[in-house]
Amino acid sequence: MLSRPLSARSATQAREAFALFAQRQYAQAFSIARPLAGQNPESPDALHLLALCAAELQQPEQAEAAFKRALALVPQHPDMSLNFARFLGRQNRQREATEVLSAAAGAAPAHAGLQRALGLAALDAGQDAVALCALRRATDLEPGQSRHWQVFGSALRKTGALRDAEDAFVSALAIARDAHALANLAAIRRLLGRADLAAQGYREALALDPMRPDLKDALVGALIDVGDIEEARAAADRLTRDHPDFIPGYVTRAHLSWEYGVKEESIEQSLAFFFEAAQRDQKVAQALVSFLLEARCAPLALPLLASRRSDDSAQRLSYALALEATGDPRADEELDALHETEASTWDAYFSARIRRLVRAGDIGAAARFAEEKSQAQPLRQEVWAYLATLWRLLDDPREHWLCGYDTLVGEMSVPLPDDETIGHAALTAWLHQLHTARRAPSRQSLRGGSQTPGVLFGRVNPALECFEKSLLATIKSWIRRLPDDTAHPFLRRKQASVRFCGSWSVRLQSAGHHANHFHGDGWLSSACYIELPASVRAAQDNTGYLHFGQPPEELGVALEPRRFVAPREQHVALFPSYLWHGTVPFSAATPRLTIAFDAVPSDAAD
């Protein structure tokens, strides 16, 4: 198909329309572009202009037709391909956008902008290898462009390559220092366990952009991680005072007050600032409701939902969950009413729907609902956790295939050297110093203990570094022994090694335990025993033991654990992240100290 240039008169009209488009006067631009394209059907510029205007005026069919006609006249044109890909991305058609950009980048391999756009589209389409290759190419073509390094660094972070992401943002900042790059580098370093460097980075970012509440909020988190609780408390107080419309600030301050506040205070006293702000702002009230539900304080949430809006699905779901948590039978009616709303696609609705069907005695319907979710979201650990219980209730042999209580739960030694600097005693003493919280996190499984904030692995401590190295070798050895099963949601994903995506330490006090739970962020999870009370080491009655296969109390079914594992110091229990697991309470004068992690598959050889 041959393209034709515009006449002088038509070119003047096109320039006028483009000027209007640049001023966001899309309707006026469209009134010129539409007849112009009709009069010049072989002009790619006229068709491109029409496509841009139609896209902005929410006329997707006309926009797509015009984009395709323009590109048929000038195949792989860089600007037209970029704009067509943006249009497709807005339509949630990332794979098609990637195809358009891939063709254009192939025709113009030295065009760095196309490479960057291809990388971003491929990342959204789940094509990580294509994305990283294209973004790496953009940095090679224009190594002096900070934005290329920043986009590359963000992509590396999204794929879990945190060390490489750190290097990319360091390269970006060597070219130009800006708050965005500094904040991203700080976030990556916090994920790497270097909260000290993260706090420094957030301060530097705030020096360049002092009014950003999200940076102030992130700084509070980093300060908590490094153990500077008083400075974190002061910064959190300033954040909610100076930015009363910034909702995450209230949530951060609430978590800080919950874990590090005065233990003798009531919840209303600890969160007085949150309750006061909730009276003035409905969005703050909804955030407070969510916090209270996570913290198992549903009775306090119900009054805040008294004036809920019937057209607000989030408020309606919160109300149903609060009723359910307080044992109010009206919860079932509320949940049923949400089944055809947008709330039915939300994560919180899934487990609530399962509980609702189980209460009604319709285990088969609950299993079918979960099986449908497992097909749509095969990496979602929560789905497999509930399926395990539902198959058990149905006496379905797939429970044992899925859970593999004997084959997929491992107990391995994690040896440490007999050394005063990097040995077991040094690690134990250092971990105890990290436990300064007065209360367990509101949204975690532990009851009667504390959990270290942020990321554990990556912190600077020789004993921890030695332990992590020994642990990784143990994990690799265990993975090599696993059977093959390409249909199995855990086994089909195994690779040579793992990448830690979360790590922390837990210290349980006497009578403490872990409520039954699963881990949503991992593939492989663990319990590494660092120090055990004498009563647990000598127990013969499952006291303090780890157990598997028992669902949470709120599901309302009385099932015993399928397997118990006796804790042993310097040993680790390894298991699929979707397995329900918890611990038996113990009585002792000394605490139970563990390290835990979540990990995802990695093909790294070392």
Side-chain angles (χ1 to χ4, degrees), residues 550-578:
Q550 185 178 52
E553 289 183 10
E554 55 265 29
L555 190 57
V557 293
L559 295 174
E560 292 299 312
R562 287 295 201 187
R563 180 178 173 183
F564 288 90
V565 172
R568 290 188 289 170
E569 289 184 358
Q570 297 191 64
H571 282 71
V572 61
L574 301 169
F575 48 89
S577 296
Y578 55 72

Coordinates of all heavy atoms in Angstrom, one line a residue, residues 550-578:
Q550 N -3.7 -28.6 59.3 CA -4.9 -28.2 60.1 C -5.3 -26.8 59.7 O -4.5 -25.9 59.8 CB -4.6 -28.2 61.6 CG -5.8 -27.9 62.5 CD -5.5 -28.0 63.9 OE1 -4.5 -27.4 64.4 NE2 -6.2 -28.7 64.7
P551 N -6.5 -26.6 59.2 CA -6.9 -25.3 58.7 C -7.1 -24.3 59.8 O -7.2 -24.7 61.0 CB -8.2 -25.6 57.9 CG -8.7 -26.8 58.6 CD -7.5 -27.6 59.0
P552 N -7.3 -23.0 59.6 CA -7.5 -22.0 60.6 C -8.8 -22.2 61.3 O -9.8 -22.7 60.7 CB -7.4 -20.7 59.9 CG -7.7 -21.0 58.5 CD -7.2 -22.4 58.2
E553 N -8.9 -21.7 62.5 CA -10.2 -21.9 63.3 C -11.4 -21.3 62.6 O -12.5 -21.8 62.6 CB -10.0 -21.3 64.7 CG -9.1 -22.0 65.6 CD -9.0 -21.4 67.0 OE1 -9.9 -20.5 67.2 OE2 -8.2 -21.8 67.8
E554 N -11.2 -20.1 61.9 CA -12.3 -19.4 61.3 C -12.9 -20.2 60.2 O -14.0 -19.8 59.8 CB -11.8 -18.0 60.8 CG -10.7 -18.0 59.8 CD -9.3 -17.8 60.5 OE1 -9.2 -18.2 61.7 OE2 -8.4 -17.3 59.9
L555 N -12.3 -21.2 59.7 CA -13.0 -22.0 58.6 C -14.1 -22.9 59.3 O -15.0 -23.3 58.6 CB -12.0 -23.0 57.9 CG -12.5 -23.7 56.7 CD1 -13.0 -22.7 55.6 CD2 -11.4 -24.5 56.1
G556 N -14.0 -23.1 60.6 CA -15.1 -23.8 61.3 C -15.2 -25.3 61.1 O -16.3 -25.9 61.2
V557 N -14.1 -25.9 60.8 CA -14.1 -27.4 60.7 C -13.1 -28.0 61.6 O -11.9 -27.5 61.7 CB -13.8 -27.9 59.2 CG1 -14.9 -27.5 58.3 CG2 -12.5 -27.3 58.7
A558 N -13.4 -29.0 62.4 CA -12.6 -29.6 63.4 C -11.7 -30.7 62.7 O -12.2 -31.8 62.6 CB -13.4 -30.1 64.5
L559 N -10.5 -30.4 62.3 CA -9.6 -31.3 61.7 C -8.3 -31.3 62.5 O -7.8 -30.3 62.8 CB -9.4 -31.0 60.2 CG -10.6 -31.1 59.3 CD1 -10.2 -30.6 57.9 CD2 -11.1 -32.5 59.2
E560 N -7.8 -32.5 62.7 CA -6.5 -32.6 63.4 C -5.4 -32.4 62.4 O -5.5 -32.7 61.2 CB -6.4 -34.0 64.1 CG -7.3 -34.2 65.3 CD -7.1 -33.2 66.4 OE1 -5.9 -33.0 66.7 OE2 -8.1 -32.5 66.8
P561 N -4.2 -32.0 62.9 CA -3.0 -32.0 62.0 C -2.7 -33.3 61.3 O -2.9 -34.4 61.9 CB -1.9 -31.5 62.9 CG -2.6 -30.8 64.1 CD -3.9 -31.6 64.2
R562 N -2.2 -33.2 60.1 CA -1.8 -34.5 59.4 C -0.4 -34.9 59.9 O 0.0 -36.1 59.8 CB -1.8 -34.2 57.9 CG -3.1 -34.1 57.3 CD -3.9 -35.4 57.4 NE -5.0 -35.5 56.4 CZ -5.8 -36.5 56.3 NH1 -5.8 -37.5 57.2 NH2 -6.8 -36.5 55.4
R563 N 0.5 -33.9 60.3 CA 1.8 -34.3 60.6 C 2.4 -33.3 61.6 O 2.1 -32.1 61.5 CB 2.8 -34.3 59.4 CG 4.2 -34.7 59.7 CD 5.1 -34.8 58.5 NE 6.5 -35.0 58.9 CZ 7.5 -35.1 58.1 NH1 7.3 -34.9 56.8 NH2 8.7 -35.3 58.6
F564 N 3.2 -33.8 62.6 CA 3.9 -33.0 63.5 C 5.4 -33.1 63.3 O 5.9 -34.2 62.9 CB 3.6 -33.5 65.0 CG 2.3 -33.2 65.5 CD1 1.2 -34.1 65.3 CD2 2.0 -32.0 66.1 CE1 -0.1 -33.8 65.8 CE2 0.7 -31.7 66.6 CZ -0.3 -32.6 66.4
V565 N 6.1 -32.0 63.5 CA 7.6 -32.0 63.3 C 8.2 -31.5 64.6 O 7.8 -30.4 65.1 CB 8.0 -31.1 62.1 CG1 9.5 -31.0 62.1 CG2 7.5 -31.7 60.8
A566 N 9.0 -32.3 65.2 CA 9.7 -31.9 66.5 C 10.8 -30.9 66.2 O 11.7 -31.1 65.3 CB 10.3 -33.1 67.2
P567 N 10.8 -29.7 66.8 CA 11.8 -28.7 66.6 C 13.2 -29.2 67.1 O 13.2 -29.8 68.2 CB 11.3 -27.5 67.3 CG 10.4 -28.0 68.3 CD 9.8 -29.2 67.8
R568 N 14.3 -28.9 66.4 CA 15.6 -29.2 66.8 C 16.5 -28.0 66.5 O 16.5 -27.5 65.4 CB 16.2 -30.4 66.2 CG 15.5 -31.7 66.6 CD 16.2 -32.9 66.1 NE 16.0 -33.1 64.6 CZ 16.7 -33.9 63.9 NH1 17.6 -34.7 64.4 NH2 16.4 -34.0 62.6
E569 N 17.3 -27.6 67.4 CA 18.2 -26.4 67.2 C 19.1 -26.7 66.0 O 19.6 -27.8 65.9 CB 19.0 -26.1 68.5 CG 18.1 -25.5 69.6 CD 19.0 -25.1 70.8 OE1 20.2 -25.3 70.8 OE2 18.4 -24.5 71.7
Q570 N 19.4 -25.7 65.3 CA 20.3 -25.7 64.1 C 19.7 -26.7 63.1 O 20.5 -27.4 62.3 CB 21.7 -26.1 64.5 CG 22.4 -25.1 65.4 CD 23.9 -25.3 65.5 OE1 24.6 -25.2 64.5 NE2 24.3 -25.5 66.7
H571 N 18.4 -26.8 63.0 CA 17.7 -27.6 61.9 C 16.6 -26.7 61.3 O 16.2 -25.7 61.9 CB 17.1 -28.9 62.5 CG 18.0 -30.0 62.7 ND1 19.0 -29.9 63.7 CD2 18.2 -31.1 62.1 CE1 19.7 -31.0 63.7 NE2 19.3 -31.8 62.7
V572 N 16.3 -27.0 60.1 CA 15.2 -26.3 59.4 C 14.2 -27.2 58.9 O 14.5 -28.3 58.4 CB 15.9 -25.5 58.2 CG1 16.5 -26.4 57.2 CG2 14.8 -24.6 57.5
A573 N 12.9 -26.8 59.0 CA 11.8 -27.5 58.4 C 11.5 -26.8 57.1 O 11.3 -25.5 57.1 CB 10.6 -27.5 59.3
L574 N 11.4 -27.5 56.0 CA 11.1 -26.9 54.7 C 9.8 -27.5 54.1 O 9.5 -28.7 54.3 CB 12.2 -27.2 53.7 CG 13.6 -26.7 54.1 CD1 14.7 -27.3 53.1 CD2 13.7 -25.2 54.0
F575 N 9.0 -26.6 53.5 CA 7.7 -27.1 53.0 C 7.1 -26.1 52.0 O 7.5 -25.0 52.0 CB 6.7 -27.2 54.2 CG 6.7 -26.1 55.1 CD1 5.8 -25.0 54.9 CD2 7.6 -26.0 56.2 CE1 5.8 -23.9 55.7 CE2 7.5 -24.9 57.1 CZ 6.6 -23.8 56.8
P576 N 6.2 -26.6 51.2 CA 5.5 -25.7 50.2 C 4.8 -24.6 51.0 O 4.2 -24.8 52.0 CB 4.5 -26.6 49.5 CG 5.1 -28.0 49.7 CD 5.7 -28.0 51.0
S577 N 4.8 -23.4 50.4 CA 4.2 -22.2 51.1 C 2.7 -22.3 51.3 O 2.2 -21.7 52.2 CB 4.6 -21.0 50.3 OG 6.0 -20.7 50.2
Y578 N 2.0 -23.1 50.5 CA 0.6 -23.2 50.6 C 0.1 -24.2 51.7 O -1.1 -24.3 52.0 CB -0.1 -23.6 49.3 CG 0.4 -24.9 48.7 CD1 0.1 -26.1 49.2 CD2 1.2 -24.9 47.5 CE1 0.6 -27.3 48.7 CE2 1.7 -26.0 46.9 CZ 1.4 -27.3 47.5 OH 1.8 -28.4 46.9

